[in-house]
Amino acid sequence: SKTLFYQLAVSSVLLLLASDLMGEPGVSRLSPIALASLAYQGYGRQLGTATVRALDRVVCGTLQPDLTLLLDLPARQAIARAQGREKRRNSRRGRFEEEGLKFHERVRAGYRAIARHEPRRVKLIRADQPPEKVQAEIRKQVEALFARRRKR
């Protein structure tokens, strides 16, 4: 299935980053594939969150990022932005842009549910604000993570 393929495609990236995460302190970027798979496949395609989480555990084990920033936007606005981006790039619409509004509403609801379920790790940032406010909130969340790490 596509879900398993996406999970397996990122496993090598996660394995390469694992040594950084377990070694020197610093910042390592983990792919958001597990979170995206849960939102898009588990919620959007309605495959079930238990199935997607089980695949994630097989591929990623317990490895999770310390912080995930979720830029939240109503589905209609998100679709419009994606279509504008694709038009500027002069490219065809991607596979997710082809999905209808209901699909994107389920994906958004999924992301928001994940953020409610994991509030320490997943931070929801309203992306319908001016860019300066979004940037300030991102900075605030990253600085809070660094402050927590320094206390350890």
Side-chain angles (χ1 to χ4, degrees), residues 3-4 7 10 14 31-35 37-38 49-65 118 121:
T3 302
L4 181 57
Q7 294 283 0
V10 78
L14 291 173
S31 171
I33 193 77
L35 190 69
S37 289
L38 185 57
T49 57
T51 301
V52 178
R53 284 185 193 275
L55 286 170
D56 180 47
R57 280 190 300 277
V58 168
V59 173
C60 303
T62 59
L63 191 60
Q64 292 288 326
E118 301 182 54
R121 184 177 73 83

mmCIF file with all atom_site columns, all heavy atoms in Angstrom, residues 3-4 7 10 14 31-35 37-38 49-65 118 121:
data_model
loop_
_atom_site.group_PDB
_atom_site.id
_atom_site.type_symbol
_atom_site.label_atom_id
_atom_site.label_alt_id
_atom_site.label_comp_id
_atom_site.label_asym_id
_atom_site.label_entity_id
_atom_site.label_seq_id
_atom_site.pdbx_PDB_ins_code
_atom_site.Cartn_x
_atom_site.Cartn_y
_atom_site.Cartn_z
_atom_site.occupancy
_atom_site.B_iso_or_equiv
_atom_site.pdbx_formal_charge
_atom_site.auth_seq_id
_atom_site.auth_comp_id
_atom_site.auth_asym_id
_atom_site.auth_atom_id
_atom_site.pdbx_PDB_model_num
ATOM 1   N N   . THR A 1 3   ? 0.693  3.763  1.974  1.00 0.00 ? 3   THR A N   1
ATOM 2   C CA  . THR A 1 3   ? 1.068  4.140  3.339  1.00 0.00 ? 3   THR A CA  1
ATOM 3   C C   . THR A 1 3   ? 2.352  3.437  3.753  1.00 0.00 ? 3   THR A C   1
ATOM 4   O O   . THR A 1 3   ? 3.270  4.058  4.274  1.00 0.00 ? 3   THR A O   1
ATOM 5   C CB  . THR A 1 3   ? -0.063 3.798  4.331  1.00 0.00 ? 3   THR A CB  1
ATOM 6   O OG1 . THR A 1 3   ? -1.236 4.475  3.912  1.00 0.00 ? 3   THR A OG1 1
ATOM 7   C CG2 . THR A 1 3   ? 0.292  4.206  5.740  1.00 0.00 ? 3   THR A CG2 1
ATOM 8   N N   . LEU A 1 4   ? 2.432  2.148  3.530  1.00 0.00 ? 4   LEU A N   1
ATOM 9   C CA  . LEU A 1 4   ? 3.636  1.399  3.885  1.00 0.00 ? 4   LEU A CA  1
ATOM 10  C C   . LEU A 1 4   ? 4.825  1.899  3.078  1.00 0.00 ? 4   LEU A C   1
ATOM 11  O O   . LEU A 1 4   ? 5.922  2.062  3.614  1.00 0.00 ? 4   LEU A O   1
ATOM 12  C CB  . LEU A 1 4   ? 3.426  -0.099 3.661  1.00 0.00 ? 4   LEU A CB  1
ATOM 13  C CG  . LEU A 1 4   ? 4.610  -0.989 4.019  1.00 0.00 ? 4   LEU A CG  1
ATOM 14  C CD1 . LEU A 1 4   ? 5.015  -0.796 5.481  1.00 0.00 ? 4   LEU A CD1 1
ATOM 15  C CD2 . LEU A 1 4   ? 4.288  -2.440 3.752  1.00 0.00 ? 4   LEU A CD2 1
ATOM 16  N N   . GLN A 1 7   ? 6.101  5.080  4.592  1.00 0.00 ? 7   GLN A N   1
ATOM 17  C CA  . GLN A 1 7   ? 6.770  4.812  5.855  1.00 0.00 ? 7   GLN A CA  1
ATOM 18  C C   . GLN A 1 7   ? 8.156  4.222  5.610  1.00 0.00 ? 7   GLN A C   1
ATOM 19  O O   . GLN A 1 7   ? 9.122  4.613  6.253  1.00 0.00 ? 7   GLN A O   1
ATOM 20  C CB  . GLN A 1 7   ? 5.941  3.844  6.719  1.00 0.00 ? 7   GLN A CB  1
ATOM 21  C CG  . GLN A 1 7   ? 4.629  4.405  7.180  1.00 0.00 ? 7   GLN A CG  1
ATOM 22  C CD  . GLN A 1 7   ? 4.780  5.379  8.336  1.00 0.00 ? 7   GLN A CD  1
ATOM 23  O OE1 . GLN A 1 7   ? 5.875  5.641  8.804  1.00 0.00 ? 7   GLN A OE1 1
ATOM 24  N NE2 . GLN A 1 7   ? 3.685  5.925  8.782  1.00 0.00 ? 7   GLN A NE2 1
ATOM 25  N N   . VAL A 1 10  ? 11.026 6.652  4.350  1.00 0.00 ? 10  VAL A N   1
ATOM 26  C CA  . VAL A 1 10  ? 11.668 7.550  5.302  1.00 0.00 ? 10  VAL A CA  1
ATOM 27  C C   . VAL A 1 10  ? 12.510 6.797  6.336  1.00 0.00 ? 10  VAL A C   1
ATOM 28  O O   . VAL A 1 10  ? 13.295 7.401  7.037  1.00 0.00 ? 10  VAL A O   1
ATOM 29  C CB  . VAL A 1 10  ? 10.614 8.442  6.003  1.00 0.00 ? 10  VAL A CB  1
ATOM 30  C CG1 . VAL A 1 10  ? 9.898  7.678  7.091  1.00 0.00 ? 10  VAL A CG1 1
ATOM 31  C CG2 . VAL A 1 10  ? 11.266 9.681  6.560  1.00 0.00 ? 10  VAL A CG2 1
ATOM 32  N N   . LEU A 1 14  ? 15.480 8.258  9.012  1.00 0.00 ? 14  LEU A N   1
ATOM 33  C CA  . LEU A 1 14  ? 15.372 8.190  10.467 1.00 0.00 ? 14  LEU A CA  1
ATOM 34  C C   . LEU A 1 14  ? 16.541 7.427  11.071 1.00 0.00 ? 14  LEU A C   1
ATOM 35  O O   . LEU A 1 14  ? 17.077 7.827  12.097 1.00 0.00 ? 14  LEU A O   1
ATOM 36  C CB  . LEU A 1 14  ? 14.051 7.547  10.881 1.00 0.00 ? 14  LEU A CB  1
ATOM 37  C CG  . LEU A 1 14  ? 12.808 8.378  10.591 1.00 0.00 ? 14  LEU A CG  1
ATOM 38  C CD1 . LEU A 1 14  ? 11.558 7.559  10.880 1.00 0.00 ? 14  LEU A CD1 1
ATOM 39  C CD2 . LEU A 1 14  ? 12.806 9.662  11.373 1.00 0.00 ? 14  LEU A CD2 1
ATOM 40  N N   . SER A 1 31  ? 12.031 13.794 9.556  1.00 0.00 ? 31  SER A N   1
ATOM 41  C CA  . SER A 1 31  ? 10.977 13.965 8.573  1.00 0.00 ? 31  SER A CA  1
ATOM 42  C C   . SER A 1 31  ? 9.616  13.891 9.258  1.00 0.00 ? 31  SER A C   1
ATOM 43  O O   . SER A 1 31  ? 9.407  13.071 10.141 1.00 0.00 ? 31  SER A O   1
ATOM 44  C CB  . SER A 1 31  ? 11.091 12.861 7.529  1.00 0.00 ? 31  SER A CB  1
ATOM 45  O OG  . SER A 1 31  ? 9.968  12.897 6.691  1.00 0.00 ? 31  SER A OG  1
ATOM 46  N N   . PRO A 1 32  ? 8.691  14.730 8.836  1.00 0.00 ? 32  PRO A N   1
ATOM 47  C CA  . PRO A 1 32  ? 7.351  14.691 9.433  1.00 0.00 ? 32  PRO A CA  1
ATOM 48  C C   . PRO A 1 32  ? 6.476  13.601 8.832  1.00 0.00 ? 32  PRO A C   1
ATOM 49  O O   . PRO A 1 32  ? 5.266  13.636 8.960  1.00 0.00 ? 32  PRO A O   1
ATOM 50  C CB  . PRO A 1 32  ? 6.801  16.079 9.093  1.00 0.00 ? 32  PRO A CB  1
ATOM 51  C CG  . PRO A 1 32  ? 7.449  16.410 7.792  1.00 0.00 ? 32  PRO A CG  1
ATOM 52  C CD  . PRO A 1 32  ? 8.856  15.816 7.891  1.00 0.00 ? 32  PRO A CD  1
ATOM 53  N N   . ILE A 1 33  ? 7.094  12.600 8.204  1.00 0.00 ? 33  ILE A N   1
ATOM 54  C CA  . ILE A 1 33  ? 6.324  11.594 7.477  1.00 0.00 ? 33  ILE A CA  1
ATOM 55  C C   . ILE A 1 33  ? 5.358  10.837 8.373  1.00 0.00 ? 33  ILE A C   1
ATOM 56  O O   . ILE A 1 33  ? 4.239  10.547 7.965  1.00 0.00 ? 33  ILE A O   1
ATOM 57  C CB  . ILE A 1 33  ? 7.260  10.626 6.704  1.00 0.00 ? 33  ILE A CB  1
ATOM 58  C CG1 . ILE A 1 33  ? 6.481  9.792  5.700  1.00 0.00 ? 33  ILE A CG1 1
ATOM 59  C CG2 . ILE A 1 33  ? 8.002  9.703  7.648  1.00 0.00 ? 33  ILE A CG2 1
ATOM 60  C CD1 . ILE A 1 33  ? 6.113  10.534 4.457  1.00 0.00 ? 33  ILE A CD1 1
ATOM 61  N N   . ALA A 1 34  ? 5.740  10.500 9.594  1.00 0.00 ? 34  ALA A N   1
ATOM 62  C CA  . ALA A 1 34  ? 4.849  9.741  10.457 1.00 0.00 ? 34  ALA A CA  1
ATOM 63  C C   . ALA A 1 34  ? 3.612  10.555 10.800 1.00 0.00 ? 34  ALA A C   1
ATOM 64  O O   . ALA A 1 34  ? 2.483  10.043 10.731 1.00 0.00 ? 34  ALA A O   1
ATOM 65  C CB  . ALA A 1 34  ? 5.582  9.309  11.721 1.00 0.00 ? 34  ALA A CB  1
ATOM 66  N N   . LEU A 1 35  ? 3.791  11.811 11.146 1.00 0.00 ? 35  LEU A N   1
ATOM 67  C CA  . LEU A 1 35  ? 2.667  12.675 11.463 1.00 0.00 ? 35  LEU A CA  1
ATOM 68  C C   . LEU A 1 35  ? 1.795  12.882 10.228 1.00 0.00 ? 35  LEU A C   1
ATOM 69  O O   . LEU A 1 35  ? 0.571  12.816 10.302 1.00 0.00 ? 35  LEU A O   1
ATOM 70  C CB  . LEU A 1 35  ? 3.171  14.012 11.999 1.00 0.00 ? 35  LEU A CB  1
ATOM 71  C CG  . LEU A 1 35  ? 2.137  14.947 12.591 1.00 0.00 ? 35  LEU A CG  1
ATOM 72  C CD1 . LEU A 1 35  ? 1.599  14.374 13.889 1.00 0.00 ? 35  LEU A CD1 1
ATOM 73  C CD2 . LEU A 1 35  ? 2.750  16.301 12.837 1.00 0.00 ? 35  LEU A CD2 1
ATOM 74  N N   . SER A 1 37  ? 1.559  10.922 7.604  1.00 0.00 ? 37  SER A N   1
ATOM 75  C CA  . SER A 1 37  ? 0.883  9.670  7.269  1.00 0.00 ? 37  SER A CA  1
ATOM 76  C C   . SER A 1 37  ? -0.345 9.466  8.141  1.00 0.00 ? 37  SER A C   1
ATOM 77  O O   . SER A 1 37  ? -1.398 9.055  7.666  1.00 0.00 ? 37  SER A O   1
ATOM 78  C CB  . SER A 1 37  ? 1.818  8.468  7.431  1.00 0.00 ? 37  SER A CB  1
ATOM 79  O OG  . SER A 1 37  ? 2.790  8.487  6.424  1.00 0.00 ? 37  SER A OG  1
ATOM 80  N N   . LEU A 1 38  ? -0.196 9.764  9.423  1.00 0.00 ? 38  LEU A N   1
ATOM 81  C CA  . LEU A 1 38  ? -1.325 9.624  10.328 1.00 0.00 ? 38  LEU A CA  1
ATOM 82  C C   . LEU A 1 38  ? -2.467 10.551 9.912  1.00 0.00 ? 38  LEU A C   1
ATOM 83  O O   . LEU A 1 38  ? -3.627 10.135 9.834  1.00 0.00 ? 38  LEU A O   1
ATOM 84  C CB  . LEU A 1 38  ? -0.895 9.901  11.768 1.00 0.00 ? 38  LEU A CB  1
ATOM 85  C CG  . LEU A 1 38  ? -1.928 9.679  12.851 1.00 0.00 ? 38  LEU A CG  1
ATOM 86  C CD1 . LEU A 1 38  ? -2.462 8.249  12.825 1.00 0.00 ? 38  LEU A CD1 1
ATOM 87  C CD2 . LEU A 1 38  ? -1.323 9.996  14.214 1.00 0.00 ? 38  LEU A CD2 1
ATOM 88  N N   . THR A 1 49  ? -6.507 5.147  12.390 1.00 0.00 ? 49  THR A N   1
ATOM 89  C CA  . THR A 1 49  ? -5.279 5.609  13.029 1.00 0.00 ? 49  THR A CA  1
ATOM 90  C C   . THR A 1 49  ? -4.486 4.452  13.626 1.00 0.00 ? 49  THR A C   1
ATOM 91  O O   . THR A 1 49  ? -3.266 4.502  13.643 1.00 0.00 ? 49  THR A O   1
ATOM 92  C CB  . THR A 1 49  ? -5.593 6.658  14.106 1.00 0.00 ? 49  THR A CB  1
ATOM 93  O OG1 . THR A 1 49  ? -6.494 6.096  15.063 1.00 0.00 ? 49  THR A OG1 1
ATOM 94  C CG2 . THR A 1 49  ? -6.209 7.897  13.484 1.00 0.00 ? 49  THR A CG2 1
ATOM 95  N N   . ALA A 1 50  ? -5.162 3.418  14.088 1.00 0.00 ? 50  ALA A N   1
ATOM 96  C CA  . ALA A 1 50  ? -4.448 2.283  14.686 1.00 0.00 ? 50  ALA A CA  1
ATOM 97  C C   . ALA A 1 50  ? -3.538 1.615  13.654 1.00 0.00 ? 50  ALA A C   1
ATOM 98  O O   . ALA A 1 50  ? -2.391 1.272  13.954 1.00 0.00 ? 50  ALA A O   1
ATOM 99  C CB  . ALA A 1 50  ? -5.432 1.280  15.274 1.00 0.00 ? 50  ALA A CB  1
ATOM 100 N N   . THR A 1 51  ? -4.028 1.446  12.445 1.00 0.00 ? 51  THR A N   1
ATOM 101 C CA  . THR A 1 51  ? -3.242 0.817  11.381 1.00 0.00 ? 51  THR A CA  1
ATOM 102 C C   . THR A 1 51  ? -2.010 1.654  11.047 1.00 0.00 ? 51  THR A C   1
ATOM 103 O O   . THR A 1 51  ? -0.895 1.131  10.945 1.00 0.00 ? 51  THR A O   1
ATOM 104 C CB  . THR A 1 51  ? -4.105 0.638  10.118 1.00 0.00 ? 51  THR A CB  1
ATOM 105 O OG1 . THR A 1 51  ? -5.230 -0.171 10.440 1.00 0.00 ? 51  THR A OG1 1
ATOM 106 C CG2 . THR A 1 51  ? -3.320 0.010  8.982  1.00 0.00 ? 51  THR A CG2 1
ATOM 107 N N   . VAL A 1 52  ? -2.215 2.954  10.876 1.00 0.00 ? 52  VAL A N   1
ATOM 108 C CA  . VAL A 1 52  ? -1.104 3.837  10.510 1.00 0.00 ? 52  VAL A CA  1
ATOM 109 C C   . VAL A 1 52  ? -0.094 3.927  11.651 1.00 0.00 ? 52  VAL A C   1
ATOM 110 O O   . VAL A 1 52  ? 1.115  3.888  11.430 1.00 0.00 ? 52  VAL A O   1
ATOM 111 C CB  . VAL A 1 52  ? -1.619 5.228  10.091 1.00 0.00 ? 52  VAL A CB  1
ATOM 112 C CG1 . VAL A 1 52  ? -0.466 6.166  9.763  1.00 0.00 ? 52  VAL A CG1 1
ATOM 113 C CG2 . VAL A 1 52  ? -2.554 5.108  8.888  1.00 0.00 ? 52  VAL A CG2 1
ATOM 114 N N   . ARG A 1 53  ? -0.572 4.017  12.890 1.00 0.00 ? 53  ARG A N   1
ATOM 115 C CA  . ARG A 1 53  ? 0.347  4.059  14.039 1.00 0.00 ? 53  ARG A CA  1
ATOM 116 C C   . ARG A 1 53  ? 1.148  2.756  14.149 1.00 0.00 ? 53  ARG A C   1
ATOM 117 O O   . ARG A 1 53  ? 2.335  2.782  14.478 1.00 0.00 ? 53  ARG A O   1
ATOM 118 C CB  . ARG A 1 53  ? -0.414 4.315  15.334 1.00 0.00 ? 53  ARG A CB  1
ATOM 119 C CG  . ARG A 1 53  ? -0.856 5.754  15.502 1.00 0.00 ? 53  ARG A CG  1
ATOM 120 C CD  . ARG A 1 53  ? -1.508 5.959  16.870 1.00 0.00 ? 53  ARG A CD  1
ATOM 121 N NE  . ARG A 1 53  ? -2.208 7.209  16.975 1.00 0.00 ? 53  ARG A NE  1
ATOM 122 C CZ  . ARG A 1 53  ? -1.649 8.364  17.302 1.00 0.00 ? 53  ARG A CZ  1
ATOM 123 N NH1 . ARG A 1 53  ? -0.357 8.430  17.549 1.00 0.00 ? 53  ARG A NH1 1
ATOM 124 N NH2 . ARG A 1 53  ? -2.365 9.457  17.375 1.00 0.00 ? 53  ARG A NH2 1
ATOM 125 N N   . ALA A 1 54  ? 0.519  1.635  13.855 1.00 0.00 ? 54  ALA A N   1
ATOM 126 C CA  . ALA A 1 54  ? 1.227  0.344  13.904 1.00 0.00 ? 54  ALA A CA  1
ATOM 127 C C   . ALA A 1 54  ? 2.351  0.321  12.871 1.00 0.00 ? 54  ALA A C   1
ATOM 128 O O   . ALA A 1 54  ? 3.466  -0.127 13.168 1.00 0.00 ? 54  ALA A O   1
ATOM 129 C CB  . ALA A 1 54  ? 0.253  -0.801 13.684 1.00 0.00 ? 54  ALA A CB  1
ATOM 130 N N   . LEU A 1 55  ? 2.081  0.803  11.661 1.00 0.00 ? 55  LEU A N   1
ATOM 131 C CA  . LEU A 1 55  ? 3.126  0.865  10.632 1.00 0.00 ? 55  LEU A CA  1
ATOM 132 C C   . LEU A 1 55  ? 4.244  1.802  11.065 1.00 0.00 ? 55  LEU A C   1
ATOM 133 O O   . LEU A 1 55  ? 5.423  1.519  10.856 1.00 0.00 ? 55  LEU A O   1
ATOM 134 C CB  . LEU A 1 55  ? 2.537  1.341  9.301  1.00 0.00 ? 55  LEU A CB  1
ATOM 135 C CG  . LEU A 1 55  ? 1.691  0.337  8.545  1.00 0.00 ? 55  LEU A CG  1
ATOM 136 C CD1 . LEU A 1 55  ? 0.988  1.011  7.378  1.00 0.00 ? 55  LEU A CD1 1
ATOM 137 C CD2 . LEU A 1 55  ? 2.541  -0.820 8.060  1.00 0.00 ? 55  LEU A CD2 1
ATOM 138 N N   . ASP A 1 56  ? 3.879  2.914  11.673 1.00 0.00 ? 56  ASP A N   1
ATOM 139 C CA  . ASP A 1 56  ? 4.878  3.865  12.153 1.00 0.00 ? 56  ASP A CA  1
ATOM 140 C C   . ASP A 1 56  ? 5.788  3.215  13.193 1.00 0.00 ? 56  ASP A C   1
ATOM 141 O O   . ASP A 1 56  ? 7.004  3.411  13.175 1.00 0.00 ? 56  ASP A O   1
ATOM 142 C CB  . ASP A 1 56  ? 4.184  5.100  12.733 1.00 0.00 ? 56  ASP A CB  1
ATOM 143 C CG  . ASP A 1 56  ? 5.165  6.123  13.254 1.00 0.00 ? 56  ASP A CG  1
ATOM 144 O OD1 . ASP A 1 56  ? 6.130  6.431  12.530 1.00 0.00 ? 56  ASP A OD1 1
ATOM 145 O OD2 . ASP A 1 56  ? 4.974  6.610  14.381 1.00 0.00 ? 56  ASP A OD2 1
ATOM 146 N N   . ARG A 1 57  ? 5.211  2.447  14.092 1.00 0.00 ? 57  ARG A N   1
ATOM 147 C CA  . ARG A 1 57  ? 6.032  1.777  15.125 1.00 0.00 ? 57  ARG A CA  1
ATOM 148 C C   . ARG A 1 57  ? 6.984  0.756  14.495 1.00 0.00 ? 57  ARG A C   1
ATOM 149 O O   . ARG A 1 57  ? 8.114  0.613  14.949 1.00 0.00 ? 57  ARG A O   1
ATOM 150 C CB  . ARG A 1 57  ? 5.138  1.111  16.170 1.00 0.00 ? 57  ARG A CB  1
ATOM 151 C CG  . ARG A 1 57  ? 4.603  2.086  17.203 1.00 0.00 ? 57  ARG A CG  1
ATOM 152 C CD  . ARG A 1 57  ? 3.927  1.382  18.353 1.00 0.00 ? 57  ARG A CD  1
ATOM 153 N NE  . ARG A 1 57  ? 2.788  0.574  17.966 1.00 0.00 ? 57  ARG A NE  1
ATOM 154 C CZ  . ARG A 1 57  ? 1.549  1.043  17.769 1.00 0.00 ? 57  ARG A CZ  1
ATOM 155 N NH1 . ARG A 1 57  ? 1.306  2.318  17.912 1.00 0.00 ? 57  ARG A NH1 1
ATOM 156 N NH2 . ARG A 1 57  ? 0.579  0.231  17.414 1.00 0.00 ? 57  ARG A NH2 1
ATOM 157 N N   . VAL A 1 58  ? 6.544  0.070  13.448 1.00 0.00 ? 58  VAL A N   1
ATOM 158 C CA  . VAL A 1 58  ? 7.411  -0.903 12.778 1.00 0.00 ? 58  VAL A CA  1
ATOM 159 C C   . VAL A 1 58  ? 8.586  -0.192 12.115 1.00 0.00 ? 58  VAL A C   1
ATOM 160 O O   . VAL A 1 58  ? 9.734  -0.611 12.232 1.00 0.00 ? 58  VAL A O   1
ATOM 161 C CB  . VAL A 1 58  ? 6.610  -1.717 11.730 1.00 0.00 ? 58  VAL A CB  1
ATOM 162 C CG1 . VAL A 1 58  ? 7.543  -2.508 10.823 1.00 0.00 ? 58  VAL A CG1 1
ATOM 163 C CG2 . VAL A 1 58  ? 5.617  -2.633 12.416 1.00 0.00 ? 58  VAL A CG2 1
ATOM 164 N N   . VAL A 1 59  ? 8.309  0.915  11.430 1.00 0.00 ? 59  VAL A N   1
ATOM 165 C CA  . VAL A 1 59  ? 9.342  1.611  10.669 1.00 0.00 ? 59  VAL A CA  1
ATOM 166 C C   . VAL A 1 59  ? 10.223 2.495  11.554 1.00 0.00 ? 59  VAL A C   1
ATOM 167 O O   . VAL A 1 59  ? 11.435 2.498  11.434 1.00 0.00 ? 59  VAL A O   1
ATOM 168 C CB  . VAL A 1 59  ? 8.699  2.460  9.539  1.00 0.00 ? 59  VAL A CB  1
ATOM 169 C CG1 . VAL A 1 59  ? 9.735  3.312  8.840  1.00 0.00 ? 59  VAL A CG1 1
ATOM 170 C CG2 . VAL A 1 59  ? 7.998  1.548  8.552  1.00 0.00 ? 59  VAL A CG2 1
ATOM 171 N N   . CYS A 1 60  ? 9.608  3.239  12.463 1.00 0.00 ? 60  CYS A N   1
ATOM 172 C CA  . CYS A 1 60  ? 10.344 4.245  13.232 1.00 0.00 ? 60  CYS A CA  1
ATOM 173 C C   . CYS A 1 60  ? 10.638 3.836  14.666 1.00 0.00 ? 60  CYS A C   1
ATOM 174 O O   . CYS A 1 60  ? 11.429 4.500  15.328 1.00 0.00 ? 60  CYS A O   1
ATOM 175 C CB  . CYS A 1 60  ? 9.547  5.554  13.268 1.00 0.00 ? 60  CYS A CB  1
ATOM 176 S SG  . CYS A 1 60  ? 9.174  6.201  11.643 1.00 0.00 ? 60  CYS A SG  1
ATOM 177 N N   . GLY A 1 61  ? 10.006 2.788  15.154 1.00 0.00 ? 61  GLY A N   1
ATOM 178 C CA  . GLY A 1 61  ? 10.180 2.410  16.546 1.00 0.00 ? 61  GLY A CA  1
ATOM 179 C C   . GLY A 1 61  ? 9.637  3.503  17.445 1.00 0.00 ? 61  GLY A C   1
ATOM 180 O O   . GLY A 1 61  ? 8.566  4.044  17.195 1.00 0.00 ? 61  GLY A O   1
ATOM 181 N N   . THR A 1 62  ? 10.388 3.860  18.454 1.00 0.00 ? 62  THR A N   1
ATOM 182 C CA  . THR A 1 62  ? 9.937  4.897  19.383 1.00 0.00 ? 62  THR A CA  1
ATOM 183 C C   . THR A 1 62  ? 10.545 6.262  19.071 1.00 0.00 ? 62  THR A C   1
ATOM 184 O O   . THR A 1 62  ? 10.333 7.211  19.811 1.00 0.00 ? 62  THR A O   1
ATOM 185 C CB  . THR A 1 62  ? 10.302 4.511  20.832 1.00 0.00 ? 62  THR A CB  1
ATOM 186 O OG1 . THR A 1 62  ? 11.723 4.354  20.912 1.00 0.00 ? 62  THR A OG1 1
ATOM 187 C CG2 . THR A 1 62  ? 9.614  3.233  21.247 1.00 0.00 ? 62  THR A CG2 1
ATOM 188 N N   . LEU A 1 63  ? 11.296 6.354  17.996 1.00 0.00 ? 63  LEU A N   1
ATOM 189 C CA  . LEU A 1 63  ? 11.951 7.597  17.615 1.00 0.00 ? 63  LEU A CA  1
ATOM 190 C C   . LEU A 1 63  ? 10.916 8.647  17.202 1.00 0.00 ? 63  LEU A C   1
ATOM 191 O O   . LEU A 1 63  ? 10.131 8.429  16.284 1.00 0.00 ? 63  LEU A O   1
ATOM 192 C CB  . LEU A 1 63  ? 12.911 7.328  16.457 1.00 0.00 ? 63  LEU A CB  1
ATOM 193 C CG  . LEU A 1 63  ? 13.879 8.420  16.084 1.00 0.00 ? 63  LEU A CG  1
ATOM 194 C CD1 . LEU A 1 63  ? 14.793 8.767  17.250 1.00 0.00 ? 63  LEU A CD1 1
ATOM 195 C CD2 . LEU A 1 63  ? 14.701 7.969  14.894 1.00 0.00 ? 63  LEU A CD2 1
ATOM 196 N N   . GLN A 1 64  ? 10.880 9.753  17.911 1.00 0.00 ? 64  GLN A N   1
ATOM 197 C CA  . GLN A 1 64  ? 9.951  10.846 17.631 1.00 0.00 ? 64  GLN A CA  1
ATOM 198 C C   . GLN A 1 64  ? 10.687 12.167 17.793 1.00 0.00 ? 64  GLN A C   1
ATOM 199 O O   . GLN A 1 64  ? 11.565 12.294 18.632 1.00 0.00 ? 64  GLN A O   1
ATOM 200 C CB  . GLN A 1 64  ? 8.781  10.830 18.631 1.00 0.00 ? 64  GLN A CB  1
ATOM 201 C CG  . GLN A 1 64  ? 7.848  9.657  18.501 1.00 0.00 ? 64  GLN A CG  1
ATOM 202 C CD  . GLN A 1 64  ? 6.978  9.762  17.261 1.00 0.00 ? 64  GLN A CD  1
ATOM 203 O OE1 . GLN A 1 64  ? 6.598  10.848 16.854 1.00 0.00 ? 64  GLN A OE1 1
ATOM 204 N NE2 . GLN A 1 64  ? 6.687  8.642  16.649 1.00 0.00 ? 64  GLN A NE2 1
ATOM 205 N N   . PRO A 1 65  ? 10.304 13.167 17.011 1.00 0.00 ? 65  PRO A N   1
ATOM 206 C CA  . PRO A 1 65  ? 10.919 14.474 17.209 1.00 0.00 ? 65  PRO A CA  1
ATOM 207 C C   . PRO A 1 65  ? 10.459 15.080 18.538 1.00 0.00 ? 65  PRO A C   1
ATOM 208 O O   . PRO A 1 65  ? 9.374  14.777 19.031 1.00 0.00 ? 65  PRO A O   1
ATOM 209 C CB  . PRO A 1 65  ? 10.407 15.294 16.019 1.00 0.00 ? 65  PRO A CB  1
ATOM 210 C CG  . PRO A 1 65  ? 9.198  14.584 15.534 1.00 0.00 ? 65  PRO A CG  1
ATOM 211 C CD  . PRO A 1 65  ? 9.359  13.150 15.902 1.00 0.00 ? 65  PRO A CD  1
ATOM 212 N N   . GLU A 1 118 ? -1.062 15.134 21.724 1.00 0.00 ? 118 GLU A N   1
ATOM 213 C CA  . GLU A 1 118 ? 0.363  15.258 22.049 1.00 0.00 ? 118 GLU A CA  1
ATOM 214 C C   . GLU A 1 118 ? 0.754  16.729 22.219 1.00 0.00 ? 118 GLU A C   1
ATOM 215 O O   . GLU A 1 118 ? 1.617  17.235 21.492 1.00 0.00 ? 118 GLU A O   1
ATOM 216 C CB  . GLU A 1 118 ? 1.211  14.628 20.947 1.00 0.00 ? 118 GLU A CB  1
ATOM 217 C CG  . GLU A 1 118 ? 0.926  13.159 20.715 1.00 0.00 ? 118 GLU A CG  1
ATOM 218 C CD  . GLU A 1 118 ? 1.822  12.581 19.651 1.00 0.00 ? 118 GLU A CD  1
ATOM 219 O OE1 . GLU A 1 118 ? 3.060  12.714 19.790 1.00 0.00 ? 118 GLU A OE1 1
ATOM 220 O OE2 . GLU A 1 118 ? 1.292  12.016 18.679 1.00 0.00 ? 118 GLU A OE2 1
ATOM 221 N N   . ARG A 1 121 ? 4.558  17.898 22.465 1.00 0.00 ? 121 ARG A N   1
ATOM 222 C CA  . ARG A 1 121 ? 5.419  17.711 21.303 1.00 0.00 ? 121 ARG A CA  1
ATOM 223 C C   . ARG A 1 121 ? 4.898  18.426 20.057 1.00 0.00 ? 121 ARG A C   1
ATOM 224 O O   . ARG A 1 121 ? 5.683  18.958 19.267 1.00 0.00 ? 121 ARG A O   1
ATOM 225 C CB  . ARG A 1 121 ? 5.555  16.214 21.015 1.00 0.00 ? 121 ARG A CB  1
ATOM 226 C CG  . ARG A 1 121 ? 6.508  15.887 19.897 1.00 0.00 ? 121 ARG A CG  1
ATOM 227 C CD  . ARG A 1 121 ? 6.666  14.402 19.706 1.00 0.00 ? 121 ARG A CD  1
ATOM 228 N NE  . ARG A 1 121 ? 5.528  13.767 19.098 1.00 0.00 ? 121 ARG A NE  1
ATOM 229 C CZ  . ARG A 1 121 ? 5.291  13.717 17.790 1.00 0.00 ? 121 ARG A CZ  1
ATOM 230 N NH1 . ARG A 1 121 ? 6.127  14.274 16.953 1.00 0.00 ? 121 ARG A NH1 1
ATOM 231 N NH2 . ARG A 1 121 ? 4.234  13.106 17.320 1.00 0.00 ? 121 ARG A NH2 1
#
